[in-house]
Amino acid sequence: MDAAHIRNFSIIAHIDHGKTTLSDRLLHRTGTVATRDMEDQLLDAMDLERERGITIKAHPVTMLYRAKNGETYELNLIDTPGHVDFAYEVSRSLSACEGALLIVDAAQGVEAQTVANVHLAMKQGLHIIPVINKIDLPHANIPQARQQLEDILAIPGDEAILASAKEGIGIEDILEAIVARIPAPKPTDAPSFQALIFDSYFDTYKGVVILVRVTKGELRAGMQVKLLHSGRTVEVKEVGSFNPKPYTRDRLEVGETGYITANIKSPREVKVGDTITDPRNPSAELPGFQEIHPMVFSGIYPINTADYEQLKVSVAKLQLNDSALTYQTESSVALGFGLRCGFLGLLHMEIVQERLRREFDMDIIATYPSVVYRVLMTDRTEKEVDNPAFLPDVTYIETIFEPIVKAFVICPGDNIGDIMALISEKRGEIRHTETLDARRVMLTCKIPLNEILIDFHDRIKSITRGYGSMDYEPEGHEASDMVKLDMMVNGEVMEAFSALVHRTKAEARGRTLAAKLKEVIPRQQFQVAIQAAIGGKIIARETVSALRKDVTAKCYGGDISRKRKLLEKQKEGKKRMKSVGSVEIPQEAFVEVLKTN
C-alpha cells in the first residue's frame, strides 16, 4: 500500500486505563477479527497478562479500515504496557510510530505514568490524540479530565474524544481521528533500504522472529540484509504482518510494520533498536538505539540443588522472549549454585519468577533484591558492585556511589503529610509540589533506588487508599555513606544475609534480621550467638539458648555435692563444645528469612 494510506500509531496510558479493551474494539470494528473469534484481552497472549489485567509485552497488529471518505487505510497499531518497569518497551514501540492515542480514565484522571508516557511520546515528536475513556461510569468526571489534560500535559482539552471501549462508544470517532490527525509515514533520505528493529521474539520452528518498521525501500523474502549492530548479513526467509496472528505477505513497503525471519538461532544476535540495511550499500543507523540496563539484581536459586542445570536451561529459554532479562552464574555457601539475574524493576522481577514457577515448574528462592553501586577505589579506579559479597575491603574504598531516581508521586491533597513523611523516611528529598486540581497533588522528589525496592509502592497505595500513583526515572549516582552489614552465627559470617545499607538504617536492619534468625535457627547443645556487624563492630545481638540435658535425673536423694559435681562436669563439656561446635543452618531457615525480607 502507498505510504499516504498508512497510519502507524501506539496506545499509551497509565496501567488499567483501558488500552487493551480499546485495542480489542478497534480490531472488531475494522473487521480484523471476526465476531465469533472475539474475546477479551485479545492481544494479551500470556496467562499472567490475562490474570493480572496488565500488558507485559508490546503487541503489533495490522488493520484495514475503510474511512468515511471512501478510501481504505492500513492502520498499524502497537499495544504497549502501562507499568513503569516496562517503559523501555513503550519507548521502542513509539519509535516505530508517527502518532499515539493517549487514554485517560474519566474517573481517575491523569496519573503518574500517563505523564511519563506523554513525555516519551513528545520526545519522539509524535502527534498525540487524547481519548477520555470510561465515560459510561457513574462517577466519570469529564470536565475535570479535560482540565487535567490542559493543566498537566498542555494538550487542548476540546481535542479529546469521548469514548467507552467497554460499551463501544466513540470507536468510529477514534478511527476517523487516526486517519485525519496522524501524519502518513515519510521515507528517510537514506541511500538504500533501511528498517528499524523494534522488537523480537523466539519461535521454536522459525528461530528468532524480528519485528521491523520499514523506513526506506521495501523488504521481500530472498533479500540479503545486514544487521548493523552485529555486522551480520542474513537472507530473509519470510515476510509478514499480524492480524493479530502472523500471516505472510509478498513484501513490506515504506511505513509498514511487520515481521521477518532469517534463520537466526540466537536472540543475542538481534539487538532491539538496531537498523537493517542493504549490505552492498549500507545506510546510516537510525536514531534511538540504546542498550537495556538492568536496575535491580537478585539471586535465584533452586530449592533442590539438583535442579540447578534445569534452572539454567529454563532462564535461558525465558530470555529468548524477554531481551531485558540478564543473568550470570553465582554460588553461595548456604544456597549452593544459582543465577544472578538483572531486571528492569520489581514488577519485572516478580513476573520472571512467576513465569519460572508456572511455565517451567521450577521451585526457586530469590535473594534480597539489590541495585548496582559504583565504588571509587583509593587508586582512583571505579568498580561496579551488584552483590554485597563482592564489595572490596573498606581500606581500599574511597567513596561508594548509589543509584538515585527522580520519582513522581500523585496523591490526594489530604494525604500529602503522610506521603512526605514516607519520602523522608526513605531518605528522599522533595524538590517541588504541584497542585493538579482541587483534590490531587504531584510531588517530585529525589530518592535512592535502593529505598523504593521493596515496599515503597505498597505503602503509597495503603496511605492513599489506592488513589496514589508513582512513576520514576533514573538520575545517575550520588556519593552515600553505605556500609556492608554482615550477619554472624557463632562467629561465622553468613554471606547469604550480607547487605549494603545506609549507615543510619544499619542498626534497625541488623536487629530485625537477628530476631528473625533467632526464630528459625534450631537450638543446639550450646548457646549460639547471632550478631549483626559492620566491619569489626557488633551492632545487634540475639542468643539462641542451649538445649539442656537433665544430667541430675539419676540422682534421687543423697548429698547435694553429687548433683553439683555432675552440673560442673556438664558446664565444662558445654564450654568445650562451644569452642569446637559448628551450627548447621537448615535450608528452610534461609527460605524463611528471605521471605521476610
Side-chain angles (χ1 to χ4, degrees):
M1 188 171 281
D2 67 312
H5 286 76
I6 296 171
R7 300 289 182 270
N8 294 312
F9 69 101
S10 190
I11 301 182
I12 55 175
H14 185 79
I15 193 166
D16 201 28
H17 276 206
K19 293 182 301 301
T20 308
T21 314
L22 179 63
S23 53
D24 290 349
R25 289 291 154 270
L26 295 176
L27 287 170
H28 185 230
R29 171 61 192 81
T30 54
T32 309
V33 177
T35 306
R36 64 180 180 186
D37 297 327
M38 274 308 290
E39 54 181 296
D40 287 344
Q41 291 175 266
L42 201 68
L43 294 182
D44 288 349
M46 262 184 262
D47 290 344
L48 264 175
E49 291 183 310
R50 290 172 173 276
E51 268 172 41
R52 293 184 176 221
I54 58 173
T55 302
I56 295 167
K57 287 288 289 174
H59 298 274
V61 64
T62 299
M63 305 176 280
L64 292 175
Y65 170 62
R66 190 170 178 80
K68 287 178 180 171
N69 60 12
E71 304 275 332
T72 300
Y73 291 86
E74 181 182 308
L75 309 181
N76 294 310
L77 156 69
I78 302 172
D79 180 29
T80 62
H83 196 278
V84 52
D85 281 9
F86 304 111
Y88 185 73
E89 288 270 340
V90 180
S91 69
R92 68 192 191 197
S93 304
L94 295 178
S95 61
C97 302
E98 278 81 33
L101 288 182
L102 168 68
I103 313 290
V104 175
D105 188 321
Q108 291 175 303
V110 172
E111 301 263 16
Q113 282 142 16
T114 319
V115 179
N117 288 338
V118 168
H119 288 325
L120 274 176
M122 285 175 168
K123 204 186 285 180
Q124 304 264 16
L126 303 192
H127 186 91
I128 295 169
I129 300 174
V131 176
I132 297 174
N133 193 22
K134 305 190 185 181
I135 58 166
D136 57 313
L137 292 180
H139 52 291
N141 189 338
I142 297 164
Q144 182 186 298
R146 286 190 196 273
Q147 194 62 43
Q148 287 181 358
L149 279 171
E150 294 192 357
D151 295 349
I152 304 168
L153 304 174
I155 294 171
D158 52 5
E159 283 185 10
I161 298 166
L162 303 183
S164 168
K166 193 176 178 184
E167 299 297 326
I169 302 166
I171 304 301
E172 193 77 37
D173 297 341
I174 292 171
L175 286 164
E176 285 298 323
I178 291 167
V179 169
R181 297 193 209 171
I182 294 177
K186 290 186 175 65
T188 58
D189 51 5
S192 64
F193 163 74
Q194 193 183 40
L196 171 77
I197 299 175
F198 65 88
D199 207 351
S200 67
Y201 67 89
F202 188 79
D203 184 285
T204 318
Y205 303 104
K206 298 177 181 176
V208 179
V209 179
I210 304 170
L211 274 51
V212 296
R213 149 83 197 265
V214 180
T215 55
K216 181 71 185 279
E218 62 177 31
L219 192 52
R220 289 191 309 275
M223 276 175 69
Q224 295 283 332
V225 294
K226 182 180 183 178
L227 303 172
L228 281 185
H229 189 268
S230 62
R232 194 175 161 198
T233 301
V234 292
E235 184 187 338
V236 178
K237 295 289 180 192
E238 186 182 305
V239 173
S241 288
F242 298 87
N243 70 349
K245 292 186 171 66
Y247 67 96
T248 54
R249 292 175 63 168
D250 294 337
R251 60 179 182 267
L252 288 175
E253 296 176 313
V254 171
E256 293 187 315
T257 59
Y259 72 87
I260 62 166
T261 60
N263 276 358
I264 299 173
K265 296 287 180 281
S266 166
R268 288 167 192 253
E269 294 175 32
V270 179
K271 291 282 184 189
V272 170
D274 196 4
T275 305
I276 306 178
T277 184
D278 186 343
R280 290 161 301 182
N281 180 20
S283 298
E285 200 167 303
L286 287 160
F289 175 70
Q290 63 183 88
E291 290 276 358
I292 306 174
H293 294 293
M295 299 277 278
V296 177
F297 287 84
S298 173
I300 292 182
Y301 293 85
I303 285 182
N304 179 0
T305 47
D307 293 340
Y308 170 65
E309 285 302 324
Q310 192 190 336
L311 173 69
K312 214 169 159 184
V313 171
S314 304
V315 173
K317 282 182 181 170
L318 195 56
Q319 196 189 32
L320 296 178
N321 288 331
D322 187 352
S323 56
L325 173 66
T326 62
Y327 71 93
Q328 62 191 62
T329 55
E330 76 167 0
S331 63
S332 151
V333 179
L335 300 168
F337 287 101
L339 300 173
R340 186 91 184 151
C341 300
F343 310 96
L344 295 177
L346 276 184
L347 178 73
H348 186 216
M349 180 172 115
E350 206 182 309
I351 295 290
V352 167
Q353 289 172 10
E354 190 63 29
R355 287 183 72 184
L356 280 171
R357 289 187 183 104
R358 285 185 186 200
E359 296 171 26
F360 301 99
D361 207 19
M362 292 296 308
D363 283 331
I364 54 169
I365 172 177
T367 62
Y368 194 81
S370 68
V371 296
V372 186
Y373 295 93
R374 293 223 309 261
V375 181
L376 180 67
M377 313 292 279
T378 46
D379 61 0
R380 310 308 293 169
T381 57
E382 256 195 19
K383 187 177 179 183
E384 289 200 338
V385 176
D386 61 44
N387 188 342
F390 301 140
L391 189 75
D393 193 87
V394 187
T395 50
Y396 300 113
I397 296 175
E398 188 161 306
T399 322
I400 298 178
F401 296 91
E402 67 174 336
I404 301 290
V405 293
K406 183 180 180 182
F408 307 96
V409 180
I410 292 182
C411 67
D414 304 346
N415 305 118
I416 189 166
D418 295 333
I419 294 289
M420 282 177 157
L422 173 66
I423 291 167
S424 61
E425 180 197 320
K426 297 287 185 185
R427 297 193 289 120
E429 183 186 301
I430 295 167
R431 289 193 173 155
H432 64 266
T433 59
E434 196 180 324
T435 306
L436 302 181
D437 54 43
R439 291 186 305 115
R440 299 188 313 160
V441 185
M442 181 159 88
L443 306 176
T444 306
C445 58
K446 184 183 82 175
I447 196 164
L449 177 62
N450 187 32
E451 294 288 342
I452 63 170
L453 281 187
I454 301 300
D455 60 350
F456 189 66
H457 196 259
D458 295 344
R459 296 264 303 272
I460 286 175
K461 287 289 182 194
S462 59
I463 288 170
T464 60
R465 297 181 184 83
Y467 287 107
S469 64
M470 175 207 141
D471 187 50
Y472 64 84
E473 56 188 47
E475 209 185 54
H477 288 66
E478 263 186 24
S480 186
D481 187 10
M482 306 300 290
V483 290
K484 185 184 177 190
L485 177 71
D486 286 317
M487 295 307 294
M488 298 195 298
V489 176
N490 207 31
E492 280 183 41
V493 174
M494 296 283 137
E495 285 289 359
F497 300 127
S498 293
L500 271 174
V501 290
H502 195 264
R503 195 178 293 276
T504 55
K505 301 213 166 185
E507 193 175 322
R509 176 81 190 279
R511 285 181 190 282
T512 311
L513 272 176
K516 189 65 195 174
L517 279 169
K518 184 184 177 181
E519 286 174 29
V520 296
I521 289 178
R523 288 167 70 188
Q524 311 290 323
Q525 292 282 331
F526 52 92
Q527 266 192 6
V528 177
I530 300 164
Q531 296 162 312
I534 297 172
K537 185 186 175 188
I538 307 296
I539 57 167
R541 174 185 168 123
E542 293 280 350
T543 306
V544 180
S545 55
L547 278 172
R548 183 169 175 270
K549 183 182 175 187
D550 191 359
V551 289
T552 60
K554 60 187 177 185
C555 297
Y556 42 92
D559 188 19
I560 186 70
S561 59
R562 284 185 65 202
K563 287 187 179 181
R564 199 169 289 136
K565 189 178 169 187
L566 286 169
L567 288 168
E568 285 299 322
K569 192 176 173 188
Q570 184 187 37
K571 199 172 172 184
E572 284 297 314
K574 281 191 185 296
K575 197 184 284 182
R576 193 166 63 250
M577 193 186 282
K578 190 173 183 180
S579 61
V580 294
S582 64
V583 181
E584 284 289 320
I585 300 183
Q587 182 88 20
E588 298 75 53
F590 283 99
V591 177
E592 280 304 311
V593 174
L594 290 166
K595 268 184 195 164
T596 61
N597 278 348

